[in-house]
């Protein structure tokens, strides 16, 4: 197995549940190729239970360094991720969410891709979504796999499942890293990296189990989300990444999805936006 070293970046904020964080960290550590470093960023105040668990876990690990960055005030995901990237020791960084579960061979397969494709800057994968039982998958989000397919798909939708992504730190920094762009921090980064010449791929396998449910669909709806959506699409237009016609199509289609009732939005996601 390759000796290529890498970090895992895990942001945690006050809304994350202790039991989910424990599952996420367990899935990071119990890999066929474990990370050399886990960088945890507390974006503002988090529960005492989470902090105690993370501290105890950090003291018990032998071959994995766990670095904890405690931001006293909530900075927002973009800023938390930017700080996290800056504090990662290794050039290869894996993204992870505090409520998702990585498959046991996720990192091994992604590192193998980096070794096979020397020019590669970003690699993600499919996700399987579940609500409460990981054995009961409700949907699978497949994404384009080749660089050219990813670039074209990016003009309409996010071509990566952000919690599956592994990237080169140097390529992220060249694209000015993460910035404040509510709900679209990752997507905005991929666009800027693509325009900066980054090479991207997705592995056509499910490497992460993602927690879905009513709250997830609720977060992706409403006027507030729509406003951020329009702002993001306007930014893509200003950057020249999309034209006016694509801007109007994106805003129209996405606008409808944001304002429809949550039960209908869930149906749309599962039947039309997933497999």
């Amino acid at each position: 197995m390759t000796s290529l070293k890498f970090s895992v970046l895990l942001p945690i904020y006050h809304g994350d549940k202790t039991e989910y964080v424990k599952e996420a960290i367990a899935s990071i550590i119990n890999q066929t190729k474990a990370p050399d470093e886990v960088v945890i960023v507390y974006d503002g105040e988090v529960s005492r239970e989470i902090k105690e668990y993370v501290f105890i876990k950090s003291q018990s690990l032998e071959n994995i360094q766990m670095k904890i960055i405690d931001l006293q005030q909530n900075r927002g995901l973009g800023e938390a991720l930017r700080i996290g990237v800056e504090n990662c020791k290794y050039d290869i960084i894996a993204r992870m969410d505090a409520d998702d579960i990585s498959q046991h061979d996720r990192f091994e397969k992604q590192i193998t891709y980096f070794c096979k494709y020397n020019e590669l800057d970003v690699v993600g994968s499919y996700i399987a979504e579940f609500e409460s039982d990981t054995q009961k998958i409700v949907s699978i989000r497949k994404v384009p796999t080749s660089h050219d397919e990813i670039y074209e798909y990016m003009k309409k939708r996010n071509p990566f499942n952000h919690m599956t992504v592994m990237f080169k730190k140097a390529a992220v920094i060249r694209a000015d890293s993460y910035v404040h762009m509510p709900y679209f921090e990752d997507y905005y980064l991929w666009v800027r990296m693509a325009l900066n010449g980054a090479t991207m791929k997705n592995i056509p396998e499910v490497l992460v189990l993602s927690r879905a449910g009513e709250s997830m669909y609720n977060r992706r709806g409403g006027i507030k989300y729509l406003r951020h959506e329009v702002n993001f699409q306007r930014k893509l237009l200003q950057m020249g990444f999309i034209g006016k016609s694509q801007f109007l199509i994106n805003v129209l289609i996405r606008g409808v999805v944001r304002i429809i009732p949550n039960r209908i939005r869930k149906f749309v996601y599962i039947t039309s936006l997933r497999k």
Side-chain angles (χ1 to χ4, degrees):
M1 189 181 298
T2 176
S3 60
L4 189 61
K5 294 185 176 183
F6 67 100
S7 304
V8 174
L9 176 55
L10 176 64
I12 300 177
Y13 81 116
H14 70 89
D16 290 319
K17 296 182 178 181
T18 304
E19 60 185 292
Y20 297 167
V21 171
K22 288 182 178 180
E23 290 178 332
I25 291 178
S27 77
I28 291 171
I29 294 170
N30 300 319
Q31 290 276 322
T32 55
K33 179 171 177 54
D36 299 276
E37 175 188 60
V38 178
V39 176
I40 293 177
V41 181
Y42 294 138
D43 186 15
E45 188 60 40
V46 300
S47 72
R48 178 177 55 82
E49 291 79 11
I50 288 178
K51 286 190 173 182
E52 288 180 352
Y53 169 78
V54 170
F55 176 76
I56 293 172
K57 180 61 67 174
S58 69
Q59 300 301 303
S60 66
L61 297 175
E62 295 183 359
N63 299 315
I64 302 174
Q65 179 185 3
M66 186 172 284
K67 184 184 298 183
I68 302 169
I69 302 170
D70 193 350
L71 304 179
Q72 296 301 308
Q73 294 183 335
N74 180 269
R75 304 279 193 89
L77 182 59
E79 183 66 13
L81 289 172
R82 172 187 284 272
I83 293 171
V85 167
E86 292 172 351
N87 281 275
C88 284
K89 180 178 180 180
Y90 301 103
D91 187 51
I92 303 296
I93 302 173
R95 272 279 276 118
M96 183 70 182
D97 275 354
D99 57 353
D100 295 325
I101 301 171
S102 287
Q103 301 279 48
H104 74 286
D105 57 355
R106 171 196 168 183
F107 298 148
E108 179 182 354
K109 289 183 175 179
Q110 290 182 297
I111 288 295
T112 297
Y113 257 61
F114 275 108
C115 292
K116 182 178 180 180
Y117 304 102
N118 291 329
E119 75 284 4
L120 187 61
D121 294 302
V122 184
V123 61
S125 75
Y126 298 169
I127 56 171
E129 295 177 320
F130 69 99
E131 294 188 352
S132 58
D133 186 347
T134 57
Q135 300 301 312
K136 296 180 180 179
I137 302 302
V138 296
S139 61
I140 293 177
R141 184 178 187 236
K142 296 183 177 181
V143 282
T145 56
S146 74
H147 176 82
D148 290 342
E149 291 172 328
I150 288 170
Y151 191 92
E152 289 304 312
Y153 188 89
M154 198 182 298
K155 297 176 182 179
K156 303 175 183 178
R157 295 183 61 202
N158 191 337
F160 290 104
N161 295 305
H162 70 267
M163 70 290 287
T164 73
V165 166
M166 183 178 279
F167 51 65
K168 288 180 178 175
K169 178 179 179 177
V172 168
I173 292 176
R174 281 198 300 270
D176 295 328
S177 194
Y178 285 94
V179 298
H180 182 69
M181 182 62 71
Y183 303 114
F184 300 95
E185 293 89 353
D186 291 277
Y187 194 171
Y188 188 33
L189 176 60
W190 315 145
V191 172
R192 287 180 287 117
M193 290 182 72
L195 290 173
N196 204 39
T199 300
M200 305 175 170
K201 289 183 180 294
N202 274 307
I203 299 174
E205 300 179 42
V206 171
L207 296 186
V208 174
L209 303 181
S210 178
R211 204 175 300 272
E214 297 299 324
S215 61
M216 185 196 77
Y217 301 113
N218 270 323
R219 288 196 304 271
R220 297 184 180 182
I223 298 300
K224 180 181 178 181
Y225 197 111
L226 177 58
R227 287 173 180 159
H228 287 300
E229 180 95 62
V230 173
N231 179 60
F232 174 63
Q233 294 297 327
R234 187 179 293 115
K235 178 65 71 173
L236 299 189
L237 178 62
Q238 293 170 349
M239 296 166 65
F241 187 67
I242 60 174
K244 291 182 179 179
S245 59
Q246 189 65 60
F247 169 80
L248 293 173
I249 292 171
N250 289 352
V251 170
L252 177 62
I253 294 176
R254 291 167 174 271
V256 170
V257 173
R258 302 311 170 203
I259 64 176
I260 58 179
N262 194 53
R263 68 179 186 282
I264 301 178
R265 181 165 45 254
K266 177 179 179 179
F267 177 80
V268 170
Y269 265 90
I270 293 176
T271 59
S272 301
L273 303 180
R274 302 291 190 266
K275 301 296 183 182

